[in-house]
Amino acid sequence: MSEQPETPARPVRRAPNIVAFLLTGTFIGIVVGGLLGLQATGLDYSRVTAAGLMAVIGGVIGAIAGGVAVALIEYRSLR
């Protein structure tokens, strides 16, 4: 029998899941924004309207934060 030479082990690069980071950031932003909107007082809007608006704004900010986080992790993994 012929023996095959051992191949050197190569490091495996694991890329972060971009969609998971974006969805998680969006979800957290919606929850935090909605809760902040429910706490708003003295506005011309109803509490539900304020909570919905803040949830949308929080979702956008959360998605951006998730994108920044995945970009930093990706940059770090390429070093």
Side-chain angles (χ1 to χ4, degrees), residues 31-46:
V31 170
V32 170
L35 291 175
L36 288 175
L38 287 175
Q39 301 299 321
T41 58
L43 300 175
D44 293 334
Y45 303 111
S46 69

Side-chain angles (χ1 to χ4, degrees), residues 18-31:
I18 297 170
V19 175
F21 273 85
L22 292 176
L23 289 177
T24 302
T26 302
F27 178 75
I28 292 172
I30 287 172
V31 170

Side-chain angles (χ1 to χ4, degrees), residues 4 10 14-15 20 23 36 48 50 53 63-64 67 70 73 77 79:
Q4 296 179 352
R10 294 186 305 179
R14 295 192 47 174
L23 289 177
L36 288 175
V48 175
L53 180 62
I64 292 171
V70 79
I73 292 170
S77 71
R79 289 172 125 196

